[in-house]
Amino acid sequence: MIKPIELVIFDCDGVLVDSERIALRIQVALGAELGWPLTEDEIVERFIGRSRSSIREQIAARLGEGTADLWWERLEELHREAVDTGLSAVDGLPEALFAITLPTCVASSGSHEKMRHTLGRTGLYAHFAGRIYSASEVTHGKPAPDLFLHAARQMGVDPAACVVVEDSRPGVQAARAAGMRAFGYAGGLTPAERLEGADTIVFQDMRDLPGLIAGA
């Protein structure tokens, strides 16, 4: 028997804030500059939705520890500058949040510092303050279930009563591994077919999310 939904867990980048396109553009440029040319599709497959440690490990394995450190230093600097000049909430997200009456929280691969910055720039931080969880708090990042299970524990909700809103394949895989239903947002960078799977509803418009949750 499916449990009624008691908690909606949101990813941050690409779900709440439209930051994945910014990161994609910067990663393409850094790869070309530092010796690992990557296509946009390769970056979506390798990096989107994964923790800092996972991304850094891939870069270090390819280019060495020193270049990985430089890559990440440049990424954080360029990302902060781009966020300050052009970040917005995901299209339709404010309307969706207004219509969702269930408890919500954020569980992201990004650091707390990064989320304070991006959610702050878009006016969303106050909405989630005190209910924001980072992969830095757990041993294994997505696609492992650790982060979502951690968020459910902190919120005092059975994982089976949680749903996750994600825009990446590692994210929906992590939700399934945690025993949670997933809503895969395909209005961003990840194609719909990469989000499809068991216990997952794929959708294109964030304005549709409240109705999908109500009908789940």
Side-chain angles (χ1 to χ4, degrees):
M1 183 175 177
I2 297 176
K3 284 197 170 189
I5 298 169
E6 297 177 23
L7 176 67
V8 182
I9 303 175
F10 285 92
D11 177 41
C12 184
D13 294 301
V15 170
L16 298 177
V17 296
D18 197 14
S19 54
E20 295 290 37
R21 289 180 176 85
I22 292 173
L24 179 66
R25 183 178 72 246
I26 295 170
Q27 295 279 34
V28 168
L30 287 174
E33 176 186 341
L34 297 177
W36 189 11
L38 291 163
T39 66
E40 291 188 353
D41 191 61
E42 286 172 330
I43 288 170
V44 169
E45 181 65 22
R46 287 177 173 274
F47 295 167
I48 296 300
R50 297 188 183 274
S51 67
R52 167 179 174 163
S53 61
S54 172
I55 297 170
R56 192 193 172 286
E57 283 172 9
Q58 293 181 62
I59 299 168
R62 178 78 178 221
L63 301 175
E65 294 289 340
T67 303
D69 288 341
L70 176 60
W71 183 310
W72 204 268
E73 180 182 323
R74 295 285 309 284
L75 173 63
E76 290 186 331
E77 176 186 351
L78 294 170
H79 190 274
R80 176 171 286 276
E81 291 174 358
V83 164
D84 284 340
T85 58
L87 183 66
S88 61
V90 165
D91 183 47
L93 187 278
E95 298 96 314
L97 287 181
F98 180 79
I100 293 170
T101 57
L102 290 165
T104 60
C105 69
V106 179
S108 172
S109 295
S111 67
H112 280 287
E113 180 183 7
K114 179 183 177 184
M115 286 188 279
R116 278 192 296 271
H117 187 216
T118 57
L119 293 173
R121 292 296 298 181
T122 51
L124 294 170
Y125 189 81
H127 184 85
F128 292 103
R131 308 186 316 281
I132 300 173
Y133 308 103
S134 166
S136 63
E137 300 170 47
V138 297
T139 303
H140 302 292
K142 306 170 189 177
D146 302 32
L147 178 57
F148 292 141
L149 293 173
H150 172 66
R153 281 194 302 270
Q154 295 300 308
M155 296 292 292
V157 178
D158 186 334
C162 299
V163 296
V164 174
V165 186
E166 265 285 357
D167 71 318
S168 72
R169 181 154 66 179
V172 293
Q173 289 173 334
R176 294 172 198 142
M180 301 176 183
R181 289 163 280 174
F183 291 92
Y185 175 60
L189 297 179
T190 302
E193 60 268 20
R194 292 187 186 176
L195 300 173
E196 293 170 350
D199 298 319
T200 303
I201 295 172
V202 178
F203 69 108
Q204 296 279 345
D205 190 330
M206 198 59 73
R207 297 173 188 84
D208 295 335
L209 181 61
L212 293 171
I213 291 173

